[in-house]
Amino acid sequence: EFSNPNGEILEKDQTFRLDLDEAQGDNTRVMLPHPEIIEASEVGHVLLVDDGKVKLTVIDKGEKHLDCRVDVPGKISNRKGVNTPDSVLDISPLTPKDRSDLEYMIKIGVDWVALSFVQQPGDIEEIHSLIDQHLAEDAFRPAVMAKIEKPSCFVGDNLERIVDLCDGIMVARGDLGVECAPEDVPLLQKQIIDTCRRAGKPVVVATQMLESMIESPTPTRAEASDVATAIYDGADAIMLSAESAAGKFPEESVAMQQRIINRVESDPHYHKYLDQLSMSKKDTATDAITTAARQIAQTVKAKAIVCFTLQGSTVLRAAQERATVPVLGITPFKETARQLVMSWGVYPDLPRSGSFGFSADDEDFFNYENPAVDEQADDFDMVLKNACRAALRKGLVSDPNDLLVVTAGIPFGTPGAANIIRLLPAAGPSCWDGVCRVEDV
C-alpha cells in the first residue's frame, strides 16, 4: 500500500522499485506482495500494472526486489493487478479461497467450473485432481473450462494439450490483450477457435464485445463487426461481461448480441466460412454416422438432427460438424443436458422417465455408472416417436412432413456408441410422404 491513499504518479524513465518491504510505498518504491513475481522476473522483462495503464521494464534484480524503468507513465495505486507477459510463474492459479470455493461448488452440483489465468497444462491437471478429491462417488462430474489469457498458453504444444484436458475454452480477450500485443489478439482468437473446433470442444469468446453499451444504448459499428467476426470464426458461444453485469443497458446489450447472431447465421457465406476448416475423422462408427447425418440433413433439407446420448459425446461430435440445421440432443441425465447448452447449435432435451426407451423409475434413472437399460430399449419405434415429440416440443418442426435425421446407439446405454441412422417425418416412424400405417389394436 501507498502512504498516499490516492496513489502516486510515475514519470517516464524514472526508476521505481518493487520489493518485499512492508513499509508503505511512495513515489520511489512499493511492496509487491508476490515473491514469486520477483523470483520469476529477469532483467528486460516487462511488468504491466493496472491492465497495462503503467508499463515497467526490469533493469536490475536483487534477492528481494526489482528495480524497474517506467516506460509508460501513469498513476499507480493500492491493490492494482500486475501482469507478467514475459514470465511463467511457478505458482498455482488456484488461491486458497479458490480451493475452498471449488469444494463448495462441487458439493452443490455446479455444471461448469472455469479456471482463470491458466499458464500451462499442469494447471488443468491440478483442478481435475482437486475435483477427484471432493467429488462424491455417485455425483456428476462438473465440466472444466480454461480461460486463455496468458502468452505461455501458446508456447510449444501447450494450447493443444490444454484443449485436450478441458471440456471447454474461453477466449478471455481482456487480459489476453494486456499481455499480448493488440494486433496479435485477433489471430490468437482464430487459433484458439480452430484448435477447439478440431478437438470438438466448445469455445466461448468473451470480454469487451459491446463495451460502449455499458454507457450507450447502441454499440459502435466496430463492436458489431467484432461480434460478427467471432461468429464467422466458428465460436460456439459469445459472452457479455460488464455490459450486462454493470452496464446501464443490459437488456439492450443482450438483444443486440442476439440480433447480430441471427443476422450472421442467415448469411449464405456463414457456412462457407465454417466449412473451410478441415476436420480430421476417426475410423469409428460414431464419426461415420455423425458425418453422414450432416450430409443427409443437407441433402433432404431436414429440419434437425436428433442425437440420443448419455454423457454428450455423440452430440458434441454432431455439433463439431457445424450442420446447417439444429442438433437436438436427447439425454436422460439433466446434468448432461445443462452442459450441452454451451455447444454450437445444440438444443438439449431431458425426457421423462420411460421416453428414452427406458421404463426405469426416476430414482434409478440417474445412475451414471450403470445407465438404465431394459426390454423396452429394443422398441426402436417408441424411441423414434419420442424423437418426433421432442422436436415438436422444441419448435424445430411445424409440419407433419418435416424431416428429421435421427442417430442412436444400439444397445441403449453404451456411452459414445452411434451405430444407427434413420430418416423420418415429424409425424412419426409409421408415416411417410403423408401416408401413415395404421396398426392393429
Side-chain angles (χ1 to χ4, degrees):
E1 293 188 357
F2 289 91
S3 55
N4 182 349
N6 295 321
E8 299 286 348
I9 301 295
L10 302 187
E11 303 293 338
K12 184 174 175 58
D13 293 330
Q14 81 166 79
T15 299
F16 189 75
R17 172 170 288 194
L18 302 172
D19 56 37
L20 301 178
D21 186 351
E22 295 183 2
Q24 289 189 323
D26 54 28
N27 186 256
T28 62
R29 59 151 298 277
V30 75
M31 177 189 179
L32 178 64
H34 294 284
E36 63 276 359
I37 293 181
I38 294 176
E39 183 178 347
S41 297
E42 301 293 341
V43 173
H45 282 193
V46 170
L47 301 177
L48 301 171
V49 182
D50 193 10
D51 289 339
K53 294 182 176 65
V54 175
K55 179 181 178 182
L56 309 175
T57 299
V58 179
I59 57 175
D60 188 37
K61 177 182 178 179
E63 185 177 347
K64 295 183 179 181
H65 74 270
L66 297 173
D67 286 332
C68 304
R69 180 184 68 246
V70 179
D71 290 336
V72 176
K75 183 178 179 180
I76 183 171
S77 55
N78 296 335
R79 296 181 178 85
K80 296 299 182 183
V82 178
N83 292 86
T84 58
D86 298 325
S87 307
V88 177
L89 303 181
D90 188 21
I91 58 171
S92 167
L94 289 156
T95 66
K97 184 178 184 305
D98 292 334
R99 294 167 186 269
S100 174
D101 290 343
L102 177 63
E103 183 177 359
Y104 172 74
M105 288 187 289
I106 292 172
K107 286 181 179 178
I108 65 173
V110 297
D111 299 305
W112 283 87
V113 175
L115 182 61
S116 297
F117 297 108
V118 173
Q119 298 187 96
Q120 50 200 350
D123 297 337
I124 306 302
E125 293 171 344
E126 180 181 0
I127 194 170
H128 277 304
S129 176
L130 290 171
I131 291 173
D132 289 338
Q133 290 177 27
H134 300 300
L135 193 67
E137 186 176 348
D138 59 346
F140 197 90
R141 187 181 186 86
V144 174
M145 178 171 289
K147 293 179 67 179
I148 304 297
E149 46 200 335
K150 300 285 288 184
S152 58
C153 292
F154 303 95
V155 175
D157 63 348
N158 277 358
L159 179 61
E160 288 76 11
R161 292 170 60 200
I162 290 170
V163 170
D164 185 57
L165 289 167
C166 284
D167 303 291
I169 294 291
M170 180 180 292
V171 187
R173 304 181 308 172
D175 280 285
L176 189 62
V178 171
E179 301 214 6
C180 300
E183 64 271 19
D184 289 341
V185 173
L187 281 70
L188 296 175
Q189 174 176 305
K190 293 178 185 297
Q191 180 183 346
I192 296 168
I193 292 174
D194 286 353
T195 302
C196 290
R197 285 193 58 200
R198 289 192 178 98
K201 304 291 180 72
V203 55
V204 181
V205 177
T207 321
Q208 298 175 340
M209 302 213 79
L210 298 174
E211 186 81 357
S212 68
M213 290 193 73
I214 296 173
E215 300 289 339
S216 170
T218 57
T220 67
R221 302 306 174 260
E223 288 170 338
S225 179
D226 176 47
V227 174
T229 296
I231 302 167
Y232 278 118
D233 286 345
D236 291 77
I238 51 178
M239 184 179 122
L240 295 171
S241 300
E243 301 94 332
S244 55
K248 295 179 180 179
F249 303 96
E251 292 184 21
E252 291 84 352
S253 298
V254 174
M256 177 56 67
Q257 205 165 44
Q258 188 61 57
R259 283 171 56 188
I260 298 170
I261 292 171
N262 293 344
R263 184 66 185 88
V264 171
E265 291 187 341
S266 66
D267 181 5
H269 294 94
Y270 175 53
H271 277 280
K272 293 180 181 178
Y273 290 138
L274 294 183
D275 291 342
Q276 289 176 358
L277 185 67
S278 60
M279 295 290 179
S280 59
K281 303 287 193 300
K282 297 179 181 178
D283 297 330
T284 64
T286 298
D287 269 40
I289 290 292
T290 51
T291 301
R294 181 188 192 276
Q295 294 170 342
I296 293 171
Q298 187 169 354
T299 300
V300 302
K301 295 181 172 56
K303 295 297 184 180
I305 295 172
V306 184
C307 298
F308 287 89
T309 186
L310 288 173
Q311 296 179 335
S313 59
T314 306
V315 174
L316 290 175
R317 181 63 187 82
Q320 184 185 15
E321 287 287 331
R322 297 298 195 260
T324 55
V325 296
V327 176
L328 175 59
I330 301 179
T331 174
F333 300 150
K334 60 184 183 296
E335 292 85 354
T336 297
R338 291 199 296 255
Q339 288 180 353
L340 286 173
V341 171
M342 198 76 72
S343 298
W344 188 95
V346 173
Y347 292 76
D349 185 73
L350 182 69
R352 294 183 300 276
S353 178
S355 63
F356 188 65
F358 302 117
S359 60
D361 294 331
D362 284 339
E363 57 265 25
D364 299 323
F365 206 49
F366 295 100
N367 184 336
Y368 308 113
E369 298 300 325
N370 299 295
V373 180
D374 62 14
E375 289 78 8
Q376 283 197 344
D378 295 329
D379 187 355
F380 194 49
D381 264 11
M382 183 191 73
V383 172
L384 295 177
K385 289 175 184 176
N386 285 300
C388 296
R389 294 189 188 113
L392 180 62
R393 196 163 52 242
K394 291 290 184 181
L396 301 178
V397 293
S398 57
D399 186 278
N401 290 321
D402 286 341
L403 295 177
L404 298 170
V405 181
V406 181
T407 71
I410 299 294
F412 281 111
T414 307
N419 49 32
I420 288 180
I421 187 167
R422 280 286 300 271
L423 180 65
L424 70 156
S430 300
C431 302
W432 189 259
D433 201 20
V435 178
C436 293
R437 183 178 75 246
V438 179
E439 299 177 358
D440 295 332
V441 178

